[in-house]
Each structure stands twice: as C-alpha cells, then as structure tokens.
Amino acid sequence: MIYIRTKDNAVHAAWVVTAITAWFARDPLHLVVTNATESHRLIRMAVNSGLYVMMAVQYSIRAYKLLLPAFALPAFALPAFVLVVFASGCATQRPNTSLAAIYNPLAQRPDYERNPVIVIPGVLGSRLVDDETGKTVWGKYDRIRFGRQQSDDLAVVSLPMGQGVPLSQLRDSVRSDGTLAYLELSVFGIPVELQAYNQILQTLGVGGYRDPSHPKADEFNYGDEHFTCFQFDYDWRRDVAENAALLDKFIGEKREYIRAEYESRYGIIDAEIKFDIVAHSLGGLLSRYYLRYGSQPLPEDGSLPVLDWRGASNVERLVMIGTPNAGSAFALRDLVNGHQLSRILPYYPPAALGTMPSLYQMLPRPRHQTLVDAQDPDQAYDFYDPELWRQMKWGLSDPQQDAVLQELLPEVADRESRECIALDHQRKCLLKAKQLHQALDIPAAPPPGVTLHLYAGDAIETPAVMSVDTETGKLEVAKSVPGDDTTTRHSALMSEQPVEAVSTRPASPIHWTSVMFLHTSHRKLTADPVFTDNVLALLLQSPRHSPSSVGEPLHRQPLEWIP
C-alpha cells in the first residue's frame, strides 16, 4: 500500500486519487454521466450514500484522516467506486409524467396525421468510425484520462491536409455511424454512459415519435403505428454545405420509405411528405443552409450558391435549439487553445481541431466586433484573415504545434513543409467559413408554409467578445452577455445589433416564426420541461400546411406564438 505522509498521520494515496476523481468528474463541460449498465444498478443503489462522503474527501486532508479508519479498500478500487456512485447521482430524469398525460392521446394517433421528424445533432453528436480498422474514433473511450492527455486516435480523428487540394477532396477512411444518444466510457472496466442527445429522443418519445434504430427505443411507450422519427448522423468535422448535400439524399430516401409504408399500412398512394426538423447547435446551421440551398456546394471560386430555397420544398418546420447562428466565442478559443470535453476525456490540441472546417464555420462574425485589441477595445480584428492567425501564432500557425503536425503528417519529413501544408489548410478553412457565413446571412424570408422556431438560453453570462494581446496572441474574455453558457442570446437570434443591445424587435436576417428563451444551460436545454411541453405542442398541435391525404381534414386549435 502506498502512503502519503502528513504531520499527524499516514493517509492512503488511494484517498487522494478518489478526491481528484470526484473533483474532476463532478461537472463535465458538455457531457453528463447518466447511468451505469443494468448489471451495476444494484451496486449503485447500495453505495449511493457514499457519494457525499467521497465528495467531502476532496476538500481537506483532515477529512481523509477522519474517514481512514473505517475503510480498508485497495487503492485501485476506490476511483472506480466513486465513479460508479457518481454515475447514479447524475441520472437524467425522464420527461414529466403530466406532459405524457397531455400528449398521450395525440401520441396514439397514426403517423399520417403528423409530419415525420428528423433529429439532427450538433458538433460531436455523431459517432465516428474508421472503416479501415473498424474502431470507433469518436463516441467510445476505453479509459479515463487526467490532465491534458491527448487522444490515442488523434491522427485518425483529424482530417487530412494537402497543399493546393480543395477541402472537399481531402478524404479519409472515417465515416459517421449513428447519432450519439449516449457516449460510452469504460472506467476501470466498468461501463458507464455519458449523455449526449438522448434527451431530444425522450422528448419526442412523449409525443409518440419513434425511431426503431435507437438502441433504447423500447424505453419509451410508443404505439405500434409509429415509425416516422429519424436521426441524421453526419461527419461533424466536415464542411456544413457538404453535410447539407448528404441531408438532401437522406430526406429523399426517407420520403420513399414513408410513402411505401403509407401505401402498405393505410392505402395512401404518392403521399405528399413534408418533414419537421429538430436540430441542436451546429445541426441548426446545417439545416438553415439546407433550407436555403438544398444540395448545392459552396463554389470553389469563392462565389455564393444560388438562394433558391430548394431544401425548403421538403420541410415544413425547422426547430433550432441553442444554435449559434452568429457564431460562438468558444469556437475561436478552442481553435486557438485546443479543447478537452471534460476532465476525464482526452485533450484535442489546436492543430488537430484546426483540420476541421466545421469549427471555423462556428466562429463569430467579425462585423459584430467580437474580437478586439486588449489594449484598445475600439480596435476590432477580422479573424477571417489568415495573416492574423499567422501573426498571432494561432492553431495550425503555432510553431509549438509541430509535434502534433508530425503525428498528423507522418509522411512529411521536414518542418518547413509541414508548416506550409498547415498554413494552406488553415487559409482554406477560414475562407470557407467566410463564404458559408455570407451565404447564411443574406436576409431572406422562407417560402410560405415554412416556419422557423428557436429555443435558446438567456439566463447565464456567456462570453461574447474576446480580446487579444497582440504581443503574445493570448485570448481573454472581454465581455459576457446573457446566453446559455455556450451560445449567446444575441447569436441565437442572429441579431445585427451590438452584442449588449436589447431591443423589442431585434434586427435579424432570419425571419423567425417563434422564439422561446429558457433559463438553463446549453447542454440542459433539451431536458427543460418547458422545452418539452412547447416543442410537442408545436409538432403535434399547430396546424399543418400540407394537406392530409386520408380521412377527414385535421382540425387543430391554432396556437399563438411569440413573434
């Protein structure tokens, strides 16, 4: 047994490990440990009260000494013990049973009386698998990591780079393999689950929407007639416009599937199919691009695609949840500093994140003066400019990232060549982000019958403006405004007013049909019962513009929405 000597007593080192584990696991940035597998449920129930003892240990060696005589566990067992107990204390509650009572009658009605729903997750929300090895490179971890330990799959999860090669042609063997209702993590051999997008599926489950492909579909009380809920998984690393083209193909496939089911189940031939889309975070940007431009790519010459609302012909409602329509300061921070999802998951350095075009496409708009000089706040910078990134030594431009570049570009022997490839890739990503933003920011109303709905948080001070020390390139938060701790209210609305301004009619290029603000954080928006109640009222009770193809016309009480 290992000991740590103190003035009065010898304390088992295992207690120190336990304290650190409890501290680091207590509040992951974006993911919440929800529950262990069924085989460990009784263990968690038996030791649940021990959580409070374990959390107390982190605060002082004195607490260790008080608890020491009562336990004789081996050191390696205690961290696992803490995490199993911790997992039980963070289990996500199911939607309120009273809401199920409200919507159950509507939930039992056949699917042809509602639009099919497509759920689109945000960044990190789809599992990524390497086809060459069959290994999951994002969505499953076999061990916890403390400190800033990098992923073992860094070279695989990063996108390839090639000087002079368009981003659309830089391909690897990694593909998406389903949305992440849960993120799997193995802790000392004990499997636990980190919640990802299961809350959205639970919400839709209350309304009777069913996706048979969901691994835990049987948890929800669905009728036998429900089959029109789908999850669109995509490679969230890649360009938004590329994924919009895949969404167009996905919608075409699901439309034919539903038509075949309608014909076999109800005798409806060639039904008119309109989809409702429920999209979280980056998924909202993808959906907005799809409505405006369909499957059109962003032209390689830097021009803009034709705004023809091609995708909107397939969609009736778009529900966006916490979408950073005007970008997020955290995208800039992470591209500069790297990111660690939680204190027990791997650290992804700036060079690895810098290979992913989608992260640049979540940057704020320079015209909103979201990056200013630390010494002169009136001096704003254009972070679409690749030269700024080179001067500040940010991301792929940082010479200290060469060790990572050696891992990402093992075939490139000399440092100068690696630097040229990295700078070229960063330049292409920045210009592609500017091009996407220009395409999304054109003021335009959607076609009649297509509605846009926003659910966003505004109760937490959220970074909105970053300042940069031009001598060191270091970033600091210069201003915070109401938001959900990730996306500001200003960004969600896509307001063209100053970030701190409050107006009765915020100027926005997005023609919102309804907006609802929730007093909760980004990761908890979809767990809020107010969200559950209102999104189900929207999907199940608001009038449909597309006609019913069978039976009597639908008579639903129209709802009034906040303009």
Side-chain angles (χ1 to χ4, degrees):
M1 184 67 71
I2 302 173
Y3 292 91
I4 293 179
R5 294 289 173 181
T6 66
K7 178 179 179 181
D8 302 318
N9 202 352
V11 181
H12 287 71
W15 282 113
V16 178
V17 176
T18 301
I20 295 172
T21 302
W23 175 262
F24 284 162
R26 80 193 195 285
D27 186 24
L29 290 175
H30 297 296
L31 305 169
V32 179
V33 177
T34 55
N35 60 286
T37 56
E38 185 66 31
S39 61
H40 298 88
R41 207 171 290 274
L42 293 177
I43 298 175
R44 296 199 326 270
M45 291 175 62
V47 300
N48 187 52
S49 61
L51 172 64
Y52 303 102
V53 176
M54 297 304 157
M55 294 302 290
V57 170
Q58 67 181 284
Y59 293 106
S60 67
I61 293 294
R62 185 181 301 276
Y64 305 161
K65 291 187 286 186
L66 292 173
L67 290 169
L68 179 62
F71 296 88
L73 292 175
F76 69 85
L78 288 172
F81 175 75
V82 169
L83 282 178
V84 171
V85 177
F86 176 80
S88 68
C90 294
T92 299
Q93 298 178 355
R94 296 174 184 272
N96 192 297
T97 54
S98 63
L99 295 182
I102 293 172
Y103 296 107
N104 186 63
L106 291 172
Q108 301 306 317
R109 300 182 72 88
D111 272 7
Y112 63 74
E113 292 195 6
R114 70 183 76 189
N115 291 334
V117 167
I118 297 175
V119 177
I120 304 182
V123 67
L124 312 177
S126 299
R127 183 181 300 104
L128 300 181
V129 173
D130 183 1
D131 269 342
E132 289 186 356
T133 63
K135 184 177 181 181
T136 299
V137 297
W138 167 252
K140 185 176 182 179
Y141 295 96
D142 57 4
R143 64 188 177 91
I144 63 173
R145 292 165 171 83
F146 295 110
R148 303 187 87 184
Q149 297 184 42
Q150 293 180 178
S151 169
D152 298 331
D153 303 305
L154 196 61
V156 184
V157 78
S158 302
L159 283 172
M161 296 182 285
Q163 191 165 7
V165 181
L167 294 175
S168 60
Q169 296 179 22
L170 293 169
R171 298 284 173 176
D172 57 13
S173 59
V174 174
R175 60 175 176 83
S176 64
D177 184 40
T179 58
L180 284 174
Y182 297 94
L183 180 67
E184 299 176 30
L185 172 66
S186 180
V187 181
F188 301 102
I190 299 175
V192 297
E193 293 169 339
L194 304 177
Q195 180 157 320
Y197 287 94
N198 192 53
Q199 292 164 335
I200 295 179
L201 300 178
Q202 286 182 341
T203 292
L204 295 174
V206 173
Y209 293 94
R210 180 175 187 266
D211 181 1
S213 68
H214 183 247
K216 298 194 177 184
D218 294 337
E219 286 186 354
F220 313 120
N221 181 24
Y222 300 114
D224 294 334
E225 295 296 309
H226 299 313
F227 56 90
T228 56
C229 178
F230 309 101
Q231 300 174 68
F232 175 67
D233 61 283
Y234 61 99
D235 187 342
W236 42 264
R237 305 171 302 165
R238 303 196 65 85
D239 170 33
V240 163
E242 287 184 31
N243 285 315
L246 296 178
L247 175 61
D248 184 63
K249 180 181 178 182
F250 180 86
I251 285 177
E253 293 171 351
K254 298 309 176 186
R255 181 193 297 111
E256 293 309 309
Y257 163 75
I258 293 170
R259 282 177 174 165
E261 290 293 321
Y262 278 8
E263 183 173 356
S264 64
R265 290 171 182 250
Y266 313 120
I268 306 173
I269 299 175
D270 293 331
E272 180 183 357
I273 306 296
K274 295 279 190 177
F275 290 84
D276 293 337
I277 294 178
V278 179
H280 183 258
S281 197
L282 176 65
L285 299 182
L286 191 164
S287 302
R288 280 185 56 220
Y289 185 90
Y290 173 71
L291 262 63
R292 286 175 167 236
Y293 302 103
S295 60
Q296 295 182 70
L298 290 168
E300 294 296 342
D301 62 4
S303 63
L304 299 183
V306 178
L307 178 52
D308 56 10
W309 291 101
R310 185 69 56 86
S313 63
N314 299 315
V315 177
E316 185 166 324
R317 303 182 186 93
L318 170 58
V319 177
M320 285 176 271
I321 310 162
T323 296
N325 287 299
S328 171
F330 286 110
L332 177 61
R333 182 202 65 182
D334 292 345
L335 284 167
V336 172
N337 298 328
H339 187 61
Q340 189 170 16
L341 294 167
S342 83
R343 296 181 179 93
I344 59 173
L345 293 179
Y347 166 71
Y348 293 87
L353 299 183
T355 65
M356 305 176 186
S358 65
L359 300 189
Y360 297 87
Q361 292 172 336
M362 297 178 73
L363 286 169
R365 306 297 195 265
R367 68 177 182 272
H368 295 159
Q369 296 188 316
T370 47
L371 178 65
V372 299
D373 192 295
Q375 304 302 320
D376 180 11
D378 292 329
Q379 172 65 51
Y381 293 102
D382 177 7
F383 40 66
Y384 293 143
D385 182 6
E387 183 61 22
L388 174 67
W389 290 68
R390 191 191 66 80
Q391 292 176 359
M392 296 298 106
K393 300 179 180 179
W394 285 345
L396 287 168
S397 298
D398 185 356
Q400 296 184 12
Q401 290 293 298
D402 187 62
V404 179
L405 290 178
Q406 291 181 52
E407 187 175 349
L408 303 187
L409 300 168
E411 73 285 355
V412 182
D414 64 289
R415 179 168 185 157
E416 184 177 348
S417 296
R418 288 192 296 271
E419 181 180 344
C420 288
I421 294 172
L423 290 174
D424 175 72
H425 191 85
Q426 187 177 68
R427 179 189 61 82
K428 290 182 292 192
C429 288
L430 288 167
L431 296 180
K432 188 68 70 174
K434 181 178 181 178
Q435 190 181 14
L436 177 79
H437 292 171
Q438 289 174 336
L440 288 176
D441 293 355
I442 298 173
V450 179
T451 58
L452 307 179
H453 308 270
L454 174 67
Y455 293 83
D458 66 353
I460 301 173
E461 287 294 295
T462 304
V465 178
M466 304 294 287
S467 66
V468 57
D469 184 332
T470 55
E471 295 295 326
T472 65
K474 184 178 180 180
L475 291 171
E476 297 286 351
V477 175
K479 182 180 296 183
S480 294
V481 297
D484 64 11
D485 76 17
T486 299
T487 301
T488 66
R489 174 187 174 118
H490 178 277
S491 175
L493 285 169
M494 188 61 209
S495 174
E496 291 296 346
Q497 296 171 316
V499 294
E500 70 276 5
V502 178
S503 172
T504 55
R505 294 285 180 179
S508 174
I510 305 175
H511 287 234
W512 297 110
T513 306
S514 70
V515 173
M516 176 165 287
F517 294 107
L518 305 174
H519 284 210
T520 190
S521 65
H522 190 76
R523 69 170 183 265
K524 295 180 180 178
L525 287 170
T526 57
D528 193 306
V530 176
F531 166 79
T532 301
D533 194 1
N534 282 275
V535 79
L536 289 177
L538 173 65
L539 297 177
L540 294 173
Q541 293 185 298
S542 61
R544 286 169 58 187
H545 291 275
S546 53
S548 175
S549 303
V550 67
E552 295 297 323
L554 299 179
H555 297 290
R556 292 178 180 162
Q557 183 67 30
L559 300 181
E560 290 189 13
W561 301 96
I562 301 173

